[in-house]
Structures are given as C-alpha cells and as structure tokens.
Amino acid sequence: MLIERRTPEVGGPIDLEQRLARSERVLEAFEQALHTTGTACLLLDESARVILCSRRAESILAEEDGLALSRTGRLSVQDAFSAAAFRGAVRHAIQEVLDGSRRSPDPVRIERPSGKRAYNLFFHPCNPGLPRPGPAPHVLVLVTDPEAALPSLDRMLTSLYGLTPAECRVTRKLLDGMSPNQIAEALGV
C-alpha cells in the first residue's frame, strides 16, 4: 500500500508498509539485544505496568524476593519503605518526561526478604520533551543484583584492555593495595 504524501523531511512518496516492516525489524533486533544482556531491564508505563521485560528481569520477578509482578501486570515492591521510594522515582521519571527534562531520579535500593543484598534500581525517563498529547510517557528501569555472578576480573581486563595473564596478576595485586615493590617480591621478579 503506497500512500502519496509530501513532507519537508521526505519530499516524496512514503511507503508505509516498508516503514512498518523496518520498524518491526528494529524492534526485533532491540528485543534480541535486550534478552542477551545480563542486566535486568524493564519498560514501565506511568502506572508502573510492565510493557517490556528482559529475560533477566523475568527471572528476578519470578523469584519474588523484593520485586514481583502484580496480577494487574504492575511492578510491585514488597518492602514498604522501598515501595514508597520506588513509587516516588517512577512519578519523578514520568514528570521528567512530561517536562522535557533529561534528569533521571536517584537510584532506589529494594530490600529483599531473603536477606540477600538489596537490588539497585536505576530510572531513565523515555521520550522526554515529546509534545502533548502524544505517546504515553514511559520509564526504563535497570535492575542490578549484587548477588549475580560477575565476569572474572581477569576476563574483563583482558577483553577491555588487552592485558596478558601476567599483567592481570599485577593489576589484581595493585587493586589489593600492594606497592610495586611488594608485587615484585610476591611474584619473584
């Protein structure tokens, strides 16, 4: 279906089917990337209803250890103090979208009934400055779990900085607070 329309940006015919197909491919690629990351990502609407959720976020919600999904599809927080801070952060992020600001709310700690270390939630307003009426405001929430396994330090140093195994050993000792002389003595060099 080809619809003829002239706009200053395009200046010619717009094939809506092609644009829709491209949008669908971009969304599929984004969803694949979202599911391969180890970070829990959730896209919430203004009432904290989950619109999109990464696999890591799904597993966190399934544990129901501080964060859960309500019957109405909203992200719920079990601890009362954490819940109040969470609601405030979502409201603040939504207001930032409506005001056109790019300032994110402060992170929120979500205590866990299991006694494990608290989740840390980071809020990012989506589509700040969109004209109203327009698309509904959304908030991207990133959840970090300090209990989750992290890649080894050596692996990160090698992939990020190209360090050799020997350089990784020296770097670990520096991070442990050893002086260069102490490291040389410890490594026998």
Side-chain angles (χ1 to χ4, degrees):
M1 156 174 44
L2 187 64
I3 296 179
E4 296 278 335
R5 183 173 81 185
R6 297 231 176 246
T7 63
E9 300 85 31
V10 178
I14 299 172
D15 185 347
L16 294 180
E17 286 181 2
Q18 285 180 348
R19 290 181 67 189
L20 180 59
R22 182 182 182 283
S23 295
E24 288 173 350
R25 286 191 307 273
V26 168
L27 181 59
E28 286 173 13
F30 176 75
E31 285 180 340
Q32 287 175 355
L34 180 68
H35 293 310
T36 58
T37 180
T39 303
C41 305
L42 300 115
L43 184 65
L44 307 180
D45 70 8
E46 55 200 7
S47 65
R49 183 171 287 115
V50 176
I51 305 300
L52 188 62
C53 182
S54 70
R55 287 190 185 105
R56 178 66 188 122
E58 287 172 352
S59 70
I60 286 174
L61 295 175
E63 291 174 15
E64 295 187 357
D65 188 20
L67 290 172
L69 196 59
S70 74
R71 287 188 303 251
T72 59
R74 288 182 172 82
L75 185 60
S76 66
V77 177
Q78 294 168 333
D79 174 68
F81 180 76
S82 297
F86 167 77
R87 285 190 303 272
V90 170
R91 275 194 307 272
H92 180 222
I94 292 296
Q95 193 58 49
E96 294 297 320
V97 172
L98 298 174
D99 292 345
S101 172
R102 300 212 182 275
R103 242 189 72 227
S104 296
D106 291 334
V108 172
R109 289 174 44 91
I110 304 295
E111 298 300 329
R112 298 165 76 172
S114 67
K116 292 179 181 176
R117 291 182 288 172
Y119 292 121
N120 299 301
L121 275 61
F122 299 88
F123 301 84
H124 302 279
C126 295
N127 303 325
L130 284 179
R132 297 283 146 219
H138 291 87
V139 180
L140 177 66
V141 180
L142 303 176
V143 182
T144 60
D145 180 359
E147 299 289 333
L150 294 175
S152 75
L153 178 59
D154 288 0
R155 185 171 151 220
M156 286 192 310
L157 292 171
T158 300
S159 65
L160 293 173
Y161 304 107
L163 299 185
T164 65
E167 291 169 326
C168 289
R169 284 192 296 278
V170 171
T171 302
R172 272 190 275 113
K173 293 192 180 306
L174 284 169
L175 291 171
D176 288 340
M178 294 177 76
S179 72
N181 288 338
Q182 291 171 321
I183 294 170
E185 188 177 316
L187 296 177
V189 285

